[in-house]
Amino acid sequence: MKRLIIATTIALSLACAGSISAAQDQTRATNLENFTVTATPGQYETYFVDLHTGYGLEALVGNTHTQYVQAERAAERSEALRKLGIAPQPFVAVAIDNSAGPGVAKRVLLFDAAQSAIAVVDVYCKRAVPAGGRHCQLYPRQVQANV
């Protein structure tokens, strides 16, 4: 399981580096500074981070337990397609549970095929937000290669 997570993280980091995008709902997409968030009412939110390395991170955030279960299943399907090479975009999918407590902070490490860390994406989510606000913020950074 650990190798699967590491491989997924590596693939994601290779795909994405730099800008972030997320959309608030299907009817309205708002471009924010390096960000876009998309969510259908009653469904998990999806946040994308493009690491500009050929890979990216897709964070599926469930703000209720039901949404988290949906996000987890969607992440598993997305990862299966990506590993088969038939995914539309090479984004590593990760499900994040934001249904308990005041919020969540998570660090996602992305590794390449040689098990070298490529990027780190810090994900910070909060439970309560103003109407139309974002629950999460993502902060990607590339890891410097050891020379």
Side-chain angles (χ1 to χ4, degrees), residues 48-111:
F48 295 96
V49 176
D50 186 356
L51 300 172
H52 300 292
T53 58
Y55 290 92
L57 177 69
E58 178 181 23
L60 307 175
V61 180
N63 295 306
T64 66
H65 179 68
T66 303
Q67 290 175 355
Y68 173 66
V69 171
Q70 292 172 346
E72 195 170 41
R73 289 181 183 151
E76 289 172 2
R77 285 190 303 269
S78 178
E79 279 301 291
L81 292 174
R82 185 185 62 77
K83 289 178 183 177
L84 290 172
I86 56 177
Q89 296 176 351
F91 283 92
V92 175
V94 177
I96 297 176
D97 187 1
N98 189 33
S99 64
V104 66
K106 196 165 238 189
R107 174 169 281 174
V108 180
L109 299 172
L110 304 170
F111 297 89

Side-chain angles (χ1 to χ4, degrees), residues 10-29:
I10 293 171
L12 175 61
S13 66
L14 292 175
C16 303
S19 67
I20 303 171
S21 62
Q24 201 58 31
D25 62 318
Q26 285 185 341
T27 59
R28 183 180 100 207

